[in-house]
Amino acid sequence: MTPIFRFDGIYTPVVTPYMPDGTVNWDALANVIDYLIDAGVHGLISGGSTGENYAQTVVERVEIAAFTHKQIKGRVPMVVGTGAMLTEDSTALATAARDIGAEAILLASPPYSVPTDRENALNALAIDKAAGLPIMLYNYPHRTGTMMGEEFLDRVGRSRNFCGIKESSGDINRVHLLARDYPHIQLGCGMDDQALEFFAWGAPFWVCGGSNFLPKEHIALYNACVVEGNFDKGRRIMSAMMPLMRVLEQGGKFIQTIKYGVTLNGIPAEDVRAPLKGLNKDDKRALEQVMRVLKTTIAGIEAEG
């Protein structure tokens, strides 16, 4: 079965910059969007967990998505996150994405309820029916409590709208399963420290929060592995990126670290909404050092070519 939409390249789940009072900093959001597109990312995701969707109302999420679509101006595909606890909220976000003009939606399992594969599939198919858009699934059982198992994949696979899956389980056996048994659903990397392995198994896209502030370096790995098929070069770039992966994943400070990285690039985005708090001085210094070394190392690898 040929997908009706192809997800190819680096898809950035865009951060949501805030003012100190917690309201959206629209100018900064516009600057982030333009910066990412100018850097060459292949698509943008509005309303993902990296965008702090859990700390926003449905109305806010739709407003941010509409603003993002307007700012993109058709330059790259836009995907709208629909993850929510209530089916009604996910459906509202999905239909809003269609009305806004988004190219696709990102669909995760509803958190906390822990549905069976059958229940989860029926939920996904209901959202699919309401929106009628291409869908990127999002399998992140550590956050949702639910694995998108084989029964789920078999059921949703009956709709051609399910075009891709951002696989974030961390289980390399899932990569093997999806690549071998579900080739009609595009495999996408959602586990940053496994990006090289995903690309080796034919994944054509990578959804990576770190590309918010290091887009060119993430694109460099994608180009080496997917475009050039040069996995020797890819391993060197991945090795240079591993310290970043450790900084991002340590201590539950993923979003704060990404937003500080954006701020270091000159776009104010450091503020986060409760319950999160910003980075301390040691965390900031660690990221600054990792960024300097990573940029220099990858620039040198690229210059060789």
Side-chain angles (χ1 to χ4, degrees), residues 36-301:
L36 292 170
I37 295 173
D38 291 344
V41 302
H42 304 87
L44 299 180
I45 299 174
S46 173
S49 53
T50 304
E52 297 173 80
N53 62 11
Y54 53 82
Q56 299 162 355
T57 67
V58 171
V59 171
E60 283 182 306
R61 290 172 66 178
V62 171
E63 186 179 15
I64 292 167
F67 178 90
T68 300
H69 184 264
K70 184 177 180 180
Q71 186 67 27
I72 289 173
K73 301 181 179 71
R75 290 174 286 175
V76 296
M78 173 185 164
V79 182
V80 174
T82 64
M85 293 181 70
L86 298 177
T87 302
E88 291 80 2
D89 287 348
S90 288
T91 301
L93 289 161
T95 54
R98 178 198 62 205
D99 296 342
I100 288 166
E103 280 75 17
I105 59 173
L106 178 68
L107 198 162
S109 303
Y112 199 75
S113 58
V114 195
T116 64
D117 262 5
R118 177 180 177 275
E119 291 167 338
N120 200 16
L122 291 175
N123 179 74
L125 289 166
I127 296 165
D128 171 31
K129 184 178 180 180
L133 288 176
I135 294 170
M136 179 193 295
L137 292 167
Y138 184 11
N139 184 49
Y140 197 0
H142 297 301
R143 289 289 181 95
T144 65
T146 304
M147 178 74 78
M148 291 177 170
E150 292 175 63
E151 181 183 352
F152 171 88
L153 295 168
D154 291 340
R155 285 178 176 271
V156 301
R158 297 169 190 170
S159 167
R160 293 186 65 217
N161 285 337
F162 291 87
C163 300
I165 181 167
K166 177 190 176 186
E167 177 58 37
S168 301
S169 66
D171 182 358
I172 198 66
N173 291 310
R174 284 278 300 185
V175 178
H176 305 157
L177 170 75
L178 292 164
R180 287 172 45 248
D181 297 345
Y182 297 92
H184 55 290
I185 301 176
Q186 288 179 283
L187 174 63
C189 178
M191 207 68 187
D192 292 346
D193 61 359
Q194 295 177 351
L196 191 74
E197 289 83 354
F198 271 83
F199 290 145
W201 277 91
F205 71 96
W206 181 12
V207 179
C208 38
S211 62
N212 272 282
F213 64 99
L214 291 168
K216 292 181 180 179
E217 290 73 17
H218 286 73
I219 293 168
L221 180 62
Y222 168 82
N223 284 340
C225 296
V226 179
V227 178
E228 302 168 20
N230 186 344
F231 279 87
D232 288 335
K233 180 180 178 182
R235 279 189 292 272
R236 294 176 65 198
I237 295 173
M238 190 74 210
S239 179
M241 296 185 78
M242 290 305 291
L244 173 68
M245 310 305 181
R246 288 193 287 270
V247 168
L248 288 176
E249 295 296 343
Q250 68 182 4
K253 299 174 183 177
F254 183 81
I255 291 171
Q256 300 97 311
T257 304
I258 289 171
K259 296 189 83 172
Y260 184 61
V262 173
T263 300
L264 288 174
N265 284 339
I267 303 174
E270 190 173 350
D271 289 296
V272 291
R273 280 187 177 174
L276 301 185
K277 300 296 181 183
L279 299 183
N280 61 38
K281 292 181 180 179
D282 290 339
D283 293 330
K284 290 179 179 180
R285 280 196 295 268
L287 179 62
E288 291 165 13
Q289 180 178 355
V290 164
M291 284 179 66
R292 282 195 299 270
V293 175
L294 185 155
K295 285 184 174 182
T296 301
T297 304
I298 294 179
I301 295 170

Side-chain angles (χ1 to χ4, degrees), residues 26-36 38 67 71 266-268:
W26 298 107
D27 290 340
L29 178 56
N31 289 337
V32 171
I33 293 166
D34 288 342
Y35 167 75
L36 292 170
D38 291 344
F67 178 90
Q71 186 67 27
I267 303 174

